[in-house]
């Protein structure tokens, strides 16, 4: 693997978004497909976006409101690449397109290396090695806390399962974030029967989404109606990184 | 630099009022760091031909007078409608967010003045093509005199506009007028800066802004480090856009 493809595991923003109640679900999907997802790619490649994998669980049957409506992982060259992006108009503009669409506690944070325990709303990565998430098979598991578990017990049980996955060491990468009421988890590498059973067993509601490689065949100023986005879709956006040009 | 003359009805005339929860400083900062430069850099490739944003000085300004105005000239009205087919323009449009009081702020295309003025309907006073990005843009924003009823204020301005075509400054090739119950906004475009602008409109309204726009060249692209435009220092600007070449623009 070229060192150019060595994308560090800590330089990823882990986004958990909740649809604003003022925005109807159809309008939410339309905004994602016509503005947010394409703008994320087209406006941020030039300042160092390396991988972008959005998923849209909004509207899935049985999904509790406490589970995010949209999730995404966005990899940058480094954490500073992301921070420095705000010095540019493109990133300031892109960021402010979100205001009317999401409600608190929507947000994104960088992960820490997983050391056996979870803190609510703090993402973790399980494997401290570089990987290129754009080029591999990515699955995304989401789920809700069972009512019988307290948030602390829920996070403890999830942490035990993550430790098991970490110990097995079969994946190129894995990222997780647990809130008091939800889990979001992404893994990069070949699928393996039963690997996720332990996590799923500790979720009341769950959904596994394959992040489908998807390219946008239009630029910022081409006439293009946008992507069609439906409930349960997951994408692994394919684009030429700035260092690949 | 090639010229982009466009018809006088191809401009969106914006009158913006800041959201009541926003302080003026935050409003000006948001517009300067994101909103105004985004319009200038995201939309020329979608057909924006000229852009003249203005911050109306807040000190002493009556509430009924806009906090910000802007002229946004498009190649024609179809280009404006078609711009929404492009991601760049859809992203810009999603920015409006909570900066403005959306119950008061609005933009419309102008119609030709024909003797009467309707509140909040922009008019063009001369039916000629012009390239507003080049040359000089004069802008006047005035408040209705407190002693005058809105109806009388608008009637006086209609009388003023009726004499405009025969009495305006000779070098002016285009002019836009918009009145509200509490304000009047006038823009004139001229190839030269000599002589007096405004055709005496300052006698009919209390001036809040009365000046020629500064030509402003953005020093950066979308992806450069750039904090944006200090709109307190550059309050009335004719932004020099990077426009794609068009055919038949040399006339």
């Amino acid at each position: 693997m070229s060192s150019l493809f060595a994308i560090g595991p800590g330089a990823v923003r882990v986004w958990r978004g909740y649809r604003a109640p003022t925005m109807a679900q159809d309008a939410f999907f339309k905004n994602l497909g016509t503005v947010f997802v394409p703008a994320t790619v087209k406006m941020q490649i030039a300042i160092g976006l390396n991988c972008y994998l959005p998923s849209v669980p909004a509207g899935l049957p049985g999904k509790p409101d406490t589970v995010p409506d949209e999730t995404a992982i966005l990899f940058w060259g480094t954490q500073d690449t992301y921070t420095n992006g705000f010095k540019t108009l493109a990133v300031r503009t892109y960021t402010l397109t979100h205001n009317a669409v999401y409600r608190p506690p929507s947000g994104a944070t960088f992960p820490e290396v997983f050391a056996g325990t979870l803190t609510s709303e703090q993402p973790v990565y399980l494997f401290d090695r570089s990987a290129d998430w754009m080029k591999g098979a990515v699955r995304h598991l989401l789920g809700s806390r069972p009512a019988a578990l307290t948030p602390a017990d829920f996070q403890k049980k999830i942490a035990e399962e993550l430790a098991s996955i970490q110990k097995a060491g079969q994946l190129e990468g894995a990222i997780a974030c647990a809130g008091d009421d939800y889990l979001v988890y992404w893994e990069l590498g070949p699928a393996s029967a039963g690997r996720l059973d332990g996590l799923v067993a500790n979720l009341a509601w769950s959904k596994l989404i394959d992040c489908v490689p998807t390219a946008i065949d239009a630029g910022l100023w081409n006439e293009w109606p946008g992507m069609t986005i439906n409930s349960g879709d997951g994408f692994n956006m394919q684009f030429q990184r700035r260092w690949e040009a | 630099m090639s010229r982009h003359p466009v018809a006088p009805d191809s401009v969106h005339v914006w009158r913006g009022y800041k959201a009541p929860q926003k302080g003026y400083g935050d409003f000006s900062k948001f517009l300067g760091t994101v909103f105004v430069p985004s319009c200038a850099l995201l939309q020329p490739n979608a057909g924006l031909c000229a852009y003249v944003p203005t911050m109306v000085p807040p000190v002493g300004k009556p509430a009924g007078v806009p906090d910000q105005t802007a002229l946004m000239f498009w190649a024609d009205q179809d280009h404006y409608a078609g711009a929404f087919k492009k991601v760049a323009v859809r992203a810009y449009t999603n920015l409006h967010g909570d900066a403005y009081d959306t119950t008061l702020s609005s933009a419309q295309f102008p119609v030709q003045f024909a003797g009467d003025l309707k509140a909040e309907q922009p008019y063009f006073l001369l039916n000629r093509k012009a390239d507003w990005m080049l040359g000089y843009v004069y802008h006047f924003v005035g408040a209705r005199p407190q002693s005058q009823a809105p109806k009388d204020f608008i009637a006086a301005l209609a009388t003023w506009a009726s004499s405009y075509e025969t009495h305006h400054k000779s070098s002016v090739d285009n002019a836009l007028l918009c009145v509200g119950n509490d304000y009047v906004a006038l823009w004139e475009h001229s190839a030269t800066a000599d002589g007096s602008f405004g055709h005496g409109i300052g006698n009919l309204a209390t001036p809040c802004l009365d000046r020629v726009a500064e030509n402003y060249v953005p020093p950066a692209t979308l992806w450069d480090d750039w904090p944006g435009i200090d709109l307190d220092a550059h309050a009335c600007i004719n932004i020099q856009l990077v426009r794609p070449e068009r055919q038949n623009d040399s006339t």
Side-chain angles (χ1 to χ4, degrees), chain B residues 182-229:
Chain B
D182 296 317
Y183 75 90
V184 56
L186 170 73
W187 294 261
E188 292 179 316
H189 177 259
S190 171
T192 64
D194 57 302
S196 61
F197 287 98
H199 184 44
I201 197 168
N203 298 322
L204 301 175
T206 306
C208 298
L209 180 121
D210 182 1
R211 60 170 290 178
V212 173
E214 163 198 359
N215 280 1
Y216 180 88
V217 180
T221 75
L222 279 167
W223 294 283
D224 294 323
D225 286 3
W226 180 43
I229 304 169

Side-chain angles (χ1 to χ4, degrees), chain A residues 94-183:
Chain A
Y94 161 76
T95 303
L96 286 170
T97 59
H98 288 58
N99 279 3
V101 177
Y102 296 99
R103 66 168 170 85
S106 301
T109 36
F110 286 115
E112 298 173 348
V113 65
F114 178 65
T117 58
L118 289 173
T119 301
S120 186
E121 304 294 349
Q122 173 57 58
V124 294
Y125 56 91
L126 273 56
F127 303 103
D128 194 7
R129 54 179 174 250
S130 300
D132 187 352
W133 287 66
M134 185 191 288
K135 302 302 181 188
V138 178
R139 289 162 303 285
H140 180 31
L141 176 69
L142 307 95
S144 63
R145 172 176 62 84
L149 293 178
T150 65
D153 288 342
F154 170 62
Q155 288 154 11
K156 185 165 180 277
K157 286 185 174 293
I158 294 295
E160 290 169 359
E161 297 302 329
L162 293 177
S164 174
I165 293 171
Q166 186 182 46
K167 187 177 178 184
Q170 298 168 327
L171 293 164
E172 295 174 53
I175 295 166
C177 182
D180 284 352
D181 298 308
Y182 73 88
L183 168 72

Side-chain angles (χ1 to χ4, degrees), chain A:
Chain A
M1 178 183 290
S2 160
S3 61
L4 285 175
F5 289 84
I7 300 166
V12 55
R13 298 291 285 181
V14 181
W15 165 255
R16 294 88 70 204
Y18 300 85
R19 175 173 61 90
T22 50
M23 173 150 284
Q25 186 166 283
D26 286 352
F28 181 66
F29 289 159
K30 186 174 179 186
N31 261 294
L32 283 170
T34 61
V35 181
F36 296 142
V37 172
T40 300
V41 177
K42 299 297 177 179
M43 295 182 77
Q44 301 197 111
I45 293 172
I47 59 105
L49 182 70
N50 277 339
C51 310
Y52 172 45
L53 297 93
S55 296
V56 190
L60 284 171
K63 185 189 81 65
D65 289 343
T66 51
V67 175
D69 292 307
E70 189 225 347
T71 61
I73 46 177
L74 300 93
F75 286 84
W76 301 87
T78 65
Q79 291 192 4
D80 285 345
T81 308
Y82 166 80
T83 305
N84 289 336
F86 287 90
K87 296 177 183 172
T88 69
L89 178 61
V91 173
R92 291 196 299 273
T93 299
Y94 161 76
T95 303
L96 286 170
T97 59
H98 288 58
N99 279 3
V101 177
Y102 296 99
R103 66 168 170 85
S106 301
T109 36
F110 286 115
E112 298 173 348
V113 65
F114 178 65
T117 58
L118 289 173
T119 301
S120 186
E121 304 294 349
Q122 173 57 58
V124 294
Y125 56 91
L126 273 56
F127 303 103
D128 194 7
R129 54 179 174 250
S130 300
D132 187 352
W133 287 66
M134 185 191 288
K135 302 302 181 188
V138 178
R139 289 162 303 285
H140 180 31
L141 176 69
L142 307 95
S144 63
R145 172 176 62 84
L149 293 178
T150 65
D153 288 342
F154 170 62
Q155 288 154 11
K156 185 165 180 277
K157 286 185 174 293
I158 294 295
E160 290 169 359
E161 297 302 329
L162 293 177
S164 174
I165 293 171
Q166 186 182 46
K167 187 177 178 184
Q170 298 168 327
L171 293 164
E172 295 174 53
I175 295 166
C177 182
D180 284 352
D181 298 308
Y182 73 88
L183 168 72
V184 290
Y185 167 85
W186 292 261
E187 65 175 30
L188 169 67
S192 170
R195 181 166 54 227
L196 298 177
D197 289 355
L199 288 174
V200 172
N202 285 290
L203 299 170
W205 172 91
S206 68
K207 174 71 176 177
L208 184 63
I209 295 173
D210 283 320
C211 296
V212 178
T214 304
I216 295 173
D217 190 22
L220 276 173
W221 291 281
N222 294 126
E223 289 192 6
W224 180 61
M227 302 162 59
T228 299
I229 287 185
N230 296 304
S231 180
D233 281 347
F235 306 95
N236 187 345
M237 302 308 298
Q238 304 293 300
F239 53 89
Q240 187 178 54
R241 277 72 68 96
R242 66 175 175 179
W243 38 267
E244 292 175 317

